Amino acid sequence: MLEIRNVSKRYSGIPAVESVSFCARAGEVTGYLGPNGSGKSTTMKMIIGLIATNSGSILFDGKPIHSDLMAYKQRLGYVPEEPYLYTHLGGAEYLVMVAQLRNLATKLATERIDGLLRSFALYDDRHVPISAYSKGMRQKILLAAALLHNPDLILLDEPFSGLDVGSSLVLRSLIVELAARGKVVLFSSHELETVERISSHIVILHRGKIVADDSIERLRTLMSLRTLEGIFSQLAVEQDTAAISKQIADLIHA
Amino acid sequence: MHKTLSMERRQFRVLYRAFLMRVIDLESLSADADTSRLLAQFAALFAGISYLFTFWVIFAGARFSPDFLWVMEHFLIATTMLVVGLFSVLCWDSIFPDRRDVLVLAPLPVRASTLFRAKIAALVAALSISVLSLDIISGLVWPRFFSVTNGGGYLGFFHSLVAYWITMSLAAAFMFGCVLGVQGVAAQLLPRQQFLRLSAARRPF
């Protein structure tokens, strides 16, 4: 189980997240939602140990992640929001590098890399430099790199970004399948429909604070709203979307 | 403990290879350049320059005045410094671990110390390869003539050879240190946007 306890982070005194607490349990998919700038990616970066918290603690299986960060990272798979990769390497070469850095046995790594590249339809382009890959292909490489070592904790920050319809459907099923196999899955996305379909637990962040932390069913019942979109709009969207869209249309029409 | 050490060694080797191939900012040279081929081409080019400094000695005969030898020593040192200076500017972006290194490696179980050691080792290796290839011929031929000033003979040649390579290595290290210093001071003093503009301005070089 992943536990976030009263975590706060400030940048130059400005709070990015404030007293955030929630749990992501093994066997369930936790959807982490929030508008742009609400602190989702900051939380993700704190969970992977990239940035330090100002206060609070992050625990995985009851242990603070910083007590043995290297052992924790051995069990972590992370797909970042932006596809940062070594673009001078080929797709397969990049995955080999990741496997070596994760100390995977060569034979096992080769089998898994071949299998993942075939499953993600990248096998024919495995020796092409990543610099020539499309955004979707880069996203697939990130997904393959995150899953290569069979992690116990999977963090996905906008994992559907750039993927085509077919690949998105595969990923959607894959997330559910991984959770069913006992993994802790935490993912953030702006695609509310997808989040609603695959998440059993929802955490909504707004202006750096948690405004909802429950199962979708309970949120629907509590708020008397039928869809996640309705729940999200009520909790985290401050703008009058209809008025803004009319304003933009009027502006370009004038 | 032993397992951790061997894992760190393996990670060091993997990162060293990855960084060595990225020492020169290839995107400023050509978008999809083949890194290993490009490094080999650089080495071949430097070796060619080294040959240019040397081949005419055969036609000039074996005797040079001390003044000429003095000028030649200065010329070889200046050339090494110039090449290393240009090389340092080319690898400006890869001197320190950048945002990409951090974001690529952050989720992986790699210690920051391993990352830095691999980065430094890759830079030192690339620098050594460039100095070695630039002086590969002149560094063997010219000490033979410079040895005249310290008595000649096998011992004099040996002294000149050692002095030549130490001088070139230190000249290269000095030049690289200067560029490193300029970058460090600029990063500390300039606002980030201006520093990025300065980094972009060196691209035409």
Side-chain angles (χ1 to χ4, degrees):
Chain A
M1 184 168 75
L2 176 74
E3 285 177 81
I4 315 294
R5 287 188 190 163
N6 286 316
V7 165
S8 296
K9 179 69 187 173
R10 285 179 295 279
Y11 292 114
S12 311
I14 300 162
V17 288
E18 277 182 281
S19 299
V20 164
S21 298
F22 67 90
C23 289
R25 289 172 188 82
E28 65 178 30
V29 179
T30 304
Y32 196 46
L33 308 176
N36 290 334
S38 59
K40 296 189 304 294
S41 293
T42 299
T43 317
M44 287 286 194
K45 283 174 188 165
M46 287 191 287
I47 296 173
I48 64 160
L50 178 62
I51 54 175
T53 59
N54 287 123
S55 62
S57 54
I58 300 168
L59 297 95
F60 185 58
D61 282 349
K63 287 183 197 161
I65 59 165
H66 288 282
S67 65
D68 189 351
L69 194 59
M70 292 303 118
Y72 166 70
K73 284 185 177 180
Q74 283 283 21
R75 301 176 65 191
L76 166 76
Y78 172 60
V79 175
E81 188 181 8
E82 287 174 61
Y84 280 101
L85 294 157
Y86 287 143
T87 51
H88 64 288
L89 300 176
E93 209 180 344
Y94 179 81
L95 293 176
V96 167
M97 186 195 81
V98 170
Q100 287 175 337
L101 291 172
R102 287 202 174 276
N103 213 23
L104 284 186
T106 312
K107 191 170 172 279
L108 178 72
T110 310
E111 282 171 10
R112 284 191 187 166
I113 289 168
D114 279 0
L116 284 165
L117 287 170
R118 282 180 206 280
S119 302
F120 284 121
L122 289 172
Y123 193 77
D124 292 341
D125 297 309
R126 65 193 185 282
H127 299 308
V128 174
I130 294 173
S131 56
Y133 279 16
S134 68
K135 193 182 177 198
M137 290 164 87
R138 290 178 189 215
Q139 193 68 11
K140 289 176 187 176
I141 288 290
L142 286 172
L143 282 163
L147 300 175
L148 195 56
H149 57 295
N150 188 25
D152 296 320
L153 169 61
I154 301 164
L155 302 174
L156 308 164
D157 198 353
E158 297 291 346
F160 297 96
S161 173
L163 292 184
D164 56 36
V165 178
S167 305
S168 293
L169 291 173
V170 169
L171 179 59
R172 212 190 265 191
S173 311
L174 178 63
I175 292 172
V176 175
E177 180 67 33
L178 290 168
R181 293 190 184 198
K183 313 282 183 199
V184 179
V185 182
L186 175 68
F187 89 105
S188 89
S189 175
H190 291 297
E191 292 179 31
L192 295 179
E193 198 190 318
T194 306
V195 177
E196 190 166 18
R197 273 174 188 270
I198 64 174
S199 301
S200 33
H201 174 205
I202 296 287
V203 178
I204 301 177
L205 198 65
H206 181 50
R207 292 178 180 256
K209 289 178 182 166
I210 301 267
V211 289
D213 177 6
D214 220 323
S215 68
I216 293 190
E217 288 75 26
R218 267 183 59 81
L219 286 173
R220 280 189 193 127
T221 313
L222 282 170
M223 299 184 71
S224 306
L225 289 163
R226 280 190 307 162
T227 61
L228 180 62
E229 191 181 310
I231 296 167
F232 185 80
S233 298
Q234 197 159 96
L235 291 172
V237 180
E238 290 172 336
Q239 301 152 318
D240 182 348
T241 48
I244 291 174
S245 53
K246 190 176 177 306
Q247 193 184 333
I248 295 168
D250 289 346
L251 189 76
I252 58 170
H253 196 70
Chain B
M1 183 71 184
H2 177 71
K3 201 180 161 191
T4 313
L5 272 176
S6 71
M7 183 174 165
E8 277 189 26
R9 266 190 218 126
R10 190 184 189 197
Q11 288 179 333
F12 174 82
R13 282 199 300 271
V14 172
L15 289 176
Y16 166 75
R17 267 204 311 272
F19 291 151
L20 185 60
M21 291 295 112
R22 274 187 62 221
V23 159
I24 294 170
D25 180 7
L26 292 167
E27 280 163 21
S28 70
L29 299 176
S30 70
D32 297 321
D34 179 340
T35 46
S36 47
R37 217 175 99 190
L38 197 79
L39 280 177
Q41 282 170 345
F42 264 106
L45 177 73
F46 290 161
I49 294 170
S50 184
Y51 175 70
L52 281 177
F53 293 160
T54 317
F55 82 96
W56 52 270
V57 168
I58 304 163
F59 307 106
R63 289 207 161 270
F64 297 106
S65 70
D67 285 347
F68 177 80
L69 289 175
W70 187 242
V71 168
M72 197 62 204
E73 277 178 33
H74 276 235
F75 174 72
L76 290 171
I77 293 169
T79 308
T80 300
M81 288 174 81
L82 176 73
V83 168
V84 171
L86 286 173
F87 176 86
S88 307
V89 172
L90 275 176
C91 66
W92 176 278
D93 288 334
S94 55
I95 290 177
F96 295 110
D98 58 13
R99 186 180 162 80
R100 180 160 48 172
D101 291 325
V102 172
L103 289 171
V104 167
L105 301 171
L108 302 173
V110 179
R111 289 181 197 284
S113 57
T114 311
L115 168 70
F116 272 98
R117 281 192 294 120
K119 196 90 189 173
I120 291 165
L123 279 172
V124 169
L127 209 61
S128 306
I129 290 168
S130 61
V131 174
L132 192 72
S133 50
L134 183 66
D135 291 288
I136 193 149
I137 302 170
S138 50
L140 293 173
V141 173
W142 280 103
R144 152 96 177 73
F145 299 107
F146 298 150
S147 68
V148 174
T149 55
N150 58 19
Y154 285 113
L155 195 62
F157 171 65
F158 179 72
H159 280 165
S160 292
L161 193 71
V162 172
Y164 182 94
W165 283 101
I166 288 175
T167 308
M168 293 306 170
S169 304
L170 291 177
F174 173 76
M175 204 59 216
F176 184 71
C178 285
V179 175
L180 200 68
V182 168
Q183 190 181 12
V185 170
Q188 289 298 315
L189 296 181
L190 295 177
R192 183 162 166 73
Q193 287 305 318
Q194 284 186 24
F195 175 71
L196 292 176
R197 226 171 276 157
L198 176 73
S199 298
R202 54 91 223 178
R203 280 184 181 265
F205 299 104

